[in-house]
Amino acid sequence: MPDPGRTHDITAARRDHLLAHLRATGFGALADLGFLGLDDDPDNPVVVTGFKATRARKLTPGQKDGNRALAAGRVPVERGFAHLKNWRILTKLRTDPARATHLFRALLVLTNVDATTDN
């Protein structure tokens, strides 16, 4: 069941046990600063987030480079989500959620193939 739009990303990830699922499958995730503090194992992280600056602590050049690299890795997925919203696929979809997952994966692959062949 989908969450209301007001549900924060990290709250939904904790409720759905995202870390346990990632560790069970051996996958990891590149996440935005909305997931900062989610991963509870610094020795074996599965969720990689960027560095957050504060007024008192500015980012070092290395941290800024790390944030840029992380953002570049997340671009294809963010672009795929933008297409799902722009194409209004979610409003038109009337199928079993398991089939929807396969459809979303295929759409993200096709979107990313299109994005890599644009150059």
Side-chain angles (χ1 to χ4, degrees):
M1 183 168 168
D3 293 325
R6 66 180 176 267
T7 303
H8 197 279
D9 294 342
I10 198 167
T11 302
R14 285 182 176 139
R15 193 204 64 241
D16 294 339
H17 308 286
L18 178 67
L19 288 177
H21 291 296
L22 288 172
R23 285 197 173 98
T25 59
F27 288 116
L30 302 178
D32 62 18
L33 293 178
F35 291 92
L36 197 61
L38 174 65
D39 205 338
D40 54 0
D41 186 0
D43 296 330
N44 185 22
V46 293
V47 176
V48 178
T49 57
F51 298 96
K52 188 174 183 178
T54 64
R55 288 184 187 173
R57 190 181 64 81
K58 303 297 180 202
L59 295 181
T60 66
Q63 290 172 329
K64 289 180 183 179
D65 288 342
N67 281 353
R68 275 191 285 276
L70 180 65
R74 292 183 55 242
V75 164
V77 175
E78 295 293 339
R79 185 170 188 241
F81 285 141
H83 283 310
L84 289 175
K85 290 178 182 179
N86 289 339
W87 297 336
R88 299 175 189 226
I89 290 172
L90 301 177
T91 61
K92 299 174 186 175
L93 188 64
R94 302 289 182 262
T95 187
D96 176 42
R99 295 183 83 193
T101 300
H102 294 296
L103 175 65
F104 293 149
R105 286 179 181 164
L107 288 170
L108 288 174
V109 167
L110 292 173
T111 301
N112 290 330
V113 168
D114 179 48
T116 58
T117 57
D118 284 346
N119 295 335

